[in-house]
Amino acid sequence: MEGSDVCFAPVLSIAEAPHHRHAKLRQAYVEVAGVRQPAPAPRFSLTPGRPRPAPSSPGVDTDQILESFGIGAAERAALRVAKVII
């Protein structure tokens, strides 16, 4: 279909998208702390966006979050044993 006037786009996986020619030309992805993520959008010349920090790994904030909801250490330990949380 390339070279025709048909409007089309490939369906890419999350892993494939950053490697697509168009995404590379548009600099649509950035790498922050070793994590590839979409670049900030929209882009303005006078007020450019900044990439957000990479998200934390699963389970890193679990204790603090559950504690903020009033879930104590013993209950969190039981949830870990039951493999409800990591």
Side-chain angles (χ1 to χ4, degrees), residues 14 18 28 33 38 42 49-50 52 55 70 81 83 85:
I14 291 174
R50 291 186 205 119
R52 293 182 173 242
V81 169
K83 297 190 181 194
I85 62 173

Side-chain angles (χ1 to χ4, degrees), residues 26 39-45 47-50:
R26 298 278 303 141
R43 296 182 202 170
F44 301 112
S45 59
T47 55
R50 291 186 205 119

Side-chain angles (χ1 to χ4, degrees), residues 18-31:
H19 303 289
H20 187 270
R21 176 177 46 107
H22 182 78
K24 285 181 176 181
L25 290 171
R26 298 278 303 141
Q27 298 175 339
Y29 291 87
V30 295
E31 195 165 307

Side-chain angles (χ1 to χ4, degrees), residues 62-64 66-67 70-86:
T62 301
D63 284 319
Q64 292 130 334
L66 292 178
E67 191 173 331
I71 298 172
E75 193 172 354
R76 292 192 313 266
L79 291 171
R80 278 195 177 79
V81 169
K83 297 190 181 194
V84 174
I85 62 173
I86 56 171

Side-chain angles (χ1 to χ4, degrees), residues 14 18 28-40 51-58:
I14 291 174
Y29 291 87
V30 295
E31 195 165 307
V32 177
V35 177
R36 182 174 291 137
Q37 59 183 313
R52 293 182 173 242
S56 17
S57 299

